[in-house]
Amino acid sequence: MTSPIRVLLVDDQELIRLGFRMVLESEPDIVVVGEAKDGRAAIAQSAALAPDLVLMDIRMPELDGIAATSAIVRDHPETRVLVLTTFDLDEYAFGAIRAGASGFLLKDAQRHEMLAAVRAVHRGDAALSPRITRLLLEHVGPRLGSGTPAEPDRADASRYASLTDREQEVFLAIGQGLTNAEIARALYVGESTVKTHVGRVLAKLDARDRIHAVILAHRLGLVGD
């Protein structure tokens, strides 16, 4: 039997944590292992509990979600962070993406959207809709990293050159925000084959997950407007 997804809840409002806990623990494949009310507590709890995923609020007292995300991703690379925001254009949320978060979720998301996002981030997918992916590229992409589409980072370019032709096709599809099922249909291959290619692409690009592959595709100038 597959182990449940171990989640740490981080929000300065107790009622929000309670609501999220009720939703998550109603699922047989998810367990809430702890809670924290600010960024400092989130860092400490991540070290103590080693959760698979942190559901992280952005705006909190003491230490905000951006700084906490950066510390958790740096010290615990096996832990993924899904950030919570009130608005989908929140620069705080985009800052968390730059800090290493694997996606973000609106606080008013429907129950099924929250559960889908948690499961997507846990398996290495990006919890971003195509619309949010476009917003990420339009508003944040130009400020991510030191490279630009015209002058990509040399290491990024070298890693991209190491991809096979098929892997480059898969990488481009990831950059366009396609899911594994959509990539499979576009390339006329099985979804299991796509999963294998995606794993190899992320490994060769040294990308933490799909969202960072999307960012890299933009930096390399592979994704159009």
Side-chain angles (χ1 to χ4, degrees):
M1 181 177 178
T2 304
S3 299
I5 304 170
R6 305 174 71 256
V7 178
L8 171 66
L9 297 177
V10 183
D11 196 291
D12 61 335
Q13 298 184 51
E14 185 177 358
L15 286 178
I16 289 181
R17 297 199 307 271
L18 176 60
F20 287 161
R21 177 183 280 273
M22 291 176 65
V23 170
L24 295 173
E25 292 199 327
S26 68
E27 299 296 305
D29 62 332
I30 301 174
V31 59
V32 176
V33 296
E35 298 183 15
K37 63 180 181 179
D38 60 54
R40 295 189 190 284
I43 294 171
Q45 289 283 66
S46 294
L49 301 172
D52 298 313
L53 183 143
V54 178
L55 199 55
M56 176 79 74
D57 188 21
I58 290 295
R59 304 189 186 194
M60 296 180 293
E62 299 295 330
L63 190 71
D64 66 27
I66 297 176
T69 294
S70 179
I72 291 170
V73 169
R74 181 192 66 234
D75 297 337
H76 310 284
E78 71 284 354
T79 297
R80 301 187 185 279
V81 178
L82 175 60
V83 299
L84 294 164
T85 181
T86 305
F87 307 104
D88 60 11
L89 281 176
D90 192 337
E91 281 296 321
Y92 283 88
F94 288 144
I97 297 297
R98 291 194 293 272
S102 297
F104 63 81
L105 179 70
L106 297 182
K107 282 192 174 183
D108 63 355
Q110 297 295 309
R111 178 179 182 278
H112 71 276
E113 293 174 326
M114 174 189 292
L115 295 173
V118 167
R119 291 177 176 124
V121 168
H122 178 254
R123 66 174 176 262
D125 289 342
L128 295 174
S129 68
R131 182 176 72 89
I132 298 302
T133 298
R134 288 193 295 272
L135 290 173
L136 175 68
L137 296 179
E138 292 168 4
H139 294 272
V140 183
R143 301 192 295 278
L144 286 166
S146 59
T148 66
E151 295 180 307
D153 180 88
R154 287 185 179 180
D156 289 342
S158 177
R159 285 190 284 264
Y160 173 67
S162 73
L163 300 179
T164 66
D165 290 344
R166 176 60 89 184
E167 289 167 350
Q168 289 184 4
E169 290 179 322
V170 171
F171 177 40
L172 176 59
I174 293 173
Q176 293 169 334
L178 273 62
T179 65
N180 283 357
E182 290 169 336
I183 296 173
R185 289 194 295 270
L187 299 182
Y188 302 100
V189 297
E191 193 168 344
S192 60
T193 300
V194 172
K195 289 180 180 178
T196 299
H197 284 311
V198 169
R200 289 174 179 167
V201 167
L202 296 181
K204 287 186 177 182
L205 295 177
D206 196 25
R208 178 177 172 82
D209 49 35
R210 290 174 85 106
I211 192 170
H212 295 97
V214 170
I215 292 169
L216 178 57
H218 177 82
R219 285 214 315 243
L220 290 168
L222 303 177
V223 180
D225 294 334

